[in-house]
Amino acid sequence: MGLKKRSIYLKYKILIIIFFTFLTNCGKLQRNENYNPSFIAENKESSSKIESSALKWTLPELSIAEKETIIDSVKTIFNDLYVHRLQKITDYQFDSLKEANQLNINMSSEELLRKTMFIFMNIRDLHTDFEYPLPAKCLIGGFPLNVNLSYDFNGLNEKLIISEKLTDNPKFENEMDNLNYNDLKLNDEILTISNLGIEGFTAEEISVKDAINELGKYMRGANEDAFKTRAVQSFFSRNGAFMKTPEGRFTIKVQKTDGTIKKYSFPWITKKSRLDICNENKSNYYNNNSYFFKLKKSNKHETISNYYKNIKKKSNDNVTLKIVKKNDKKYGLIRIEMFIPSANFDENDYLSVRNKIFKEVNIIRNFISKNKDILSGIIFDVRDNGGGFGVYPILLANIFTHQFVTNMKVFPLVSPTNRDTFYNLEMSRYFSRLGTNDELSEPILNTVIDMDFLINDKFKKELVNKRLLLLEPGNRFDGDENDALPQNFSKDETEILEPIYTEKPVAVLTNSNCYSSCDDFAALFKDYKIARIFGETRHTGGGGANVIDWKEFLTPVIIDSDGTKSSIIPNAKSLPKGIELRFAWNKVKRLNTSKDEQYIEGNGVISDYIYKPTSYDILNNGENILNKIMDDMGNEKNPKKFYLNR
């Protein structure tokens, strides 16, 4: 669902992970890509060589105490807090609780770490993640190319094409590599690859289709589209926090745009991450720059292309507002990169963050209000939007309907530990506000009361003990004040909730790289019959939960009037050697949809209409797709059945 403490990881979180840059001169720009286990070469000097690093990916030895801490933390997550377990058993026949309870201190350090990664990888949950410890997490590897899947005009004939070269001035050690790199062109099709760079996998030549299928097993795509999308994103971009970085040289067979076929050999490149934890000379850049917060909190592992795009971007271009003309009609095109405010902000100052969100939403409202009479329709482009704060899409949805678009409904697992976690969280919220201009009249302990009732119910006890019981969906505080409308908001009294554009067509353009609160955005616009959903893929990414980083639940908080302090998860311990954990602990449920789409997790939001991208679309930011949607809107017979008079 939202971004803070969870997603986003882009809340992804996913965390935190690796801040990447690539070599030399500025590369060309591309839409940002969510959760790409990333690669970066960090040579800044124009004279630097692009070299395959001698750094080796290794897992450390752990002490008995460190093993115990890891095991206890993982077991706590899957026994007491993780909400998607039963769904994942049904979808993938994988029981994370059973697997977690098999972890033990008699395992070797490597076996324990790899087994833990196996659990997190196989649940295919964007919001539930494990990062390898130092030094493995500080290596990133890959090659300076971006690729995408393209299709013909009928959505058939799938190809993997080069969509971006990330440097105009390669400086490999081998001059032939430089010549070969320069010979690659945008729209060249990759047919095969040898030495895909996956540990233990064949180095033989395999088809692109087989390569995508193999990479997809490691990339946690929660539905068929996300599986493929995330594999393509990782084709030339890997992160040592999740898997061994590629080594040696690879060979690709390429069909050129003139029809000729060539083979090229290149080195896999490994570099050290610039994360503070990986470097002795720590920079305040990561702490003070809001873009790093966006990266950390939105499930985003930065790619090379993201680096070039976002380091250069201005602070106000998270939202792009345009009026475009098509067939003598005008349409509003609203591009939203992420559902977080553009301006710098302190994530812990929720009132300031909320005000910045409101300000940005009002910019969009003012654009619509000023132009509503001349616009024949509005298109929201949220492709590759990694998520953000949940209140952002709720506020936007209320612009377009006389219905009151309310907070997303979530429900947690019922367990004694989860009960205590909710109690500590709510009490800390209450006491932290005392004496401020935003006091709570009393702690809101409805969730705790509901859990106590079920935990003590003799007829429910067995379900609770087996971790099979979840609360009914409702509005639940989850640690992020900006994932929901404020409690004092009402449709009739709050200006930002007033509808202003309710009679003309609205469309949402998505893809399977739309995650978390971007999933929520598409769900709200579909479920409240505001917009038709157009997808480059059938599904959005399918990340449906409130998410928290383990370490964010370790901070001591005041939980009573005596000043008693406790970690939010009782007795939780800090993880050793830079290990990161995060997990889904409030499951999102859609209430106004079909049974097949009730849960965003895994399913995502299913598109009403699919326009797969051609190579031209990929290289021109979906120009043909946007034109098709405007043609659909301009058809007075409304064959796409846009919702009008909402």
Side-chain angles (χ1 to χ4, degrees), residues 350-351 354-355 357-359 361-362 365 391-392 394-396 398 404-407 438 475 481-482 484-498:
Y350 72 91
L351 286 177
R354 183 180 295 167
N355 287 335
I357 294 171
F358 289 2
K359 180 179 180 180
V361 170
N362 275 321
R365 284 180 60 89
V391 72
Y392 200 138
I394 298 170
L395 293 172
L396 289 177
N398 275 288
F404 184 17
V405 180
T406 59
N407 296 325
D438 192 40
N475 294 319
E481 297 281 2
N482 293 314
L485 295 175
Q487 292 179 337
N488 61 350
F489 265 38
S490 73
K491 182 72 170 179
D492 299 327
E493 300 175 1
T494 309
E495 183 178 353
I496 201 171
L497 297 177
E498 291 180 2

Side-chain angles (χ1 to χ4, degrees), residues 271-308:
K271 288 291 181 181
K272 187 177 181 182
S273 166
R274 294 199 311 179
L275 280 176
D276 281 354
I277 195 172
C278 303
N279 293 272
E280 294 180 1
N281 298 321
K282 296 184 178 181
S283 168
N284 288 329
Y285 176 85
Y286 299 105
N287 298 321
N288 298 330
N289 187 283
S290 67
Y291 175 63
F292 181 64
F293 174 74
K294 298 177 187 181
L295 172 69
K296 171 184 174 183
K297 294 295 185 180
S298 62
N299 309 322
K300 293 173 65 64
H301 300 295
E302 187 173 27
T303 62
I304 302 166
S305 58
N306 286 338
Y307 174 79
Y308 283 122

Side-chain angles (χ1 to χ4, degrees), residues 278-470:
C278 303
N279 293 272
E280 294 180 1
N281 298 321
K282 296 184 178 181
S283 168
N284 288 329
Y285 176 85
Y286 299 105
N287 298 321
N288 298 330
N289 187 283
S290 67
Y291 175 63
F292 181 64
F293 174 74
K294 298 177 187 181
L295 172 69
K296 171 184 174 183
K297 294 295 185 180
S298 62
N299 309 322
K300 293 173 65 64
H301 300 295
E302 187 173 27
T303 62
I304 302 166
S305 58
N306 286 338
Y307 174 79
Y308 283 122
K309 177 174 183 177
N310 289 291
I311 291 302
K312 293 173 133 188
K313 70 186 290 186
K314 298 178 181 179
S315 62
N316 64 349
D317 68 353
N318 183 52
V319 175
T320 303
L321 305 170
K322 292 183 179 179
I323 295 177
V324 294
K325 191 174 182 179
K326 184 77 165 62
N327 299 330
D328 297 323
K329 294 184 178 182
K330 293 179 179 179
Y331 299 92
L333 178 58
I334 301 174
R335 166 70 186 164
I336 303 178
E337 299 287 342
M338 293 178 65
F339 289 110
I340 58 176
S342 301
N344 292 341
F345 57 86
D346 177 359
E347 62 178 292
N348 297 310
D349 184 355
Y350 72 91
L351 286 177
S352 175
V353 175
R354 183 180 295 167
N355 287 335
K356 292 178 187 296
I357 294 171
F358 289 2
K359 180 179 180 180
E360 194 156 287
V361 170
N362 275 321
I363 290 173
I364 298 172
R365 284 180 60 89
N366 291 338
F367 168 79
I368 295 170
S369 181
K370 177 182 177 181
N371 298 291
K372 63 182 179 180
D373 293 335
I374 67 170
L375 296 179
S376 297
I378 290 175
I379 303 171
F380 280 94
D381 181 358
V382 292
R383 292 171 296 170
D384 304 325
N385 181 312
F389 293 109
V391 72
Y392 200 138
I394 298 170
L395 293 172
L396 289 177
N398 275 288
I399 296 173
F400 299 96
T401 176
H402 288 283
Q403 301 180 74
F404 184 17
V405 180
T406 59
N407 296 325
M408 300 294 290
K409 303 298 182 182
V410 300
F411 53 100
L413 181 68
V414 179
S415 75
T417 297
N418 211 6
R419 180 263 183 215
D420 291 343
T421 294
F422 271 94
Y423 178 84
N424 290 346
L425 187 60
E426 179 57 35
M427 296 304 289
S428 71
R429 180 169 78 137
Y430 172 74
F431 285 107
S432 67
R433 288 192 181 185
L434 284 179
T436 72
N437 60 359
D438 192 40
E439 283 190 330
L440 293 174
S441 58
E442 61 181 8
I444 304 171
L445 295 171
N446 294 343
T447 301
V448 176
I449 293 170
D450 291 344
M451 285 188 177
D452 283 341
F453 176 80
L454 293 169
I455 289 169
N456 295 320
D457 185 338
K458 63 180 180 181
F459 300 106
K460 302 287 187 181
K461 216 174 256 296
E462 184 177 357
L463 293 176
V464 172
N465 291 339
K466 291 183 178 180
R467 305 301 187 257
L468 299 174
L469 195 64
L470 294 98

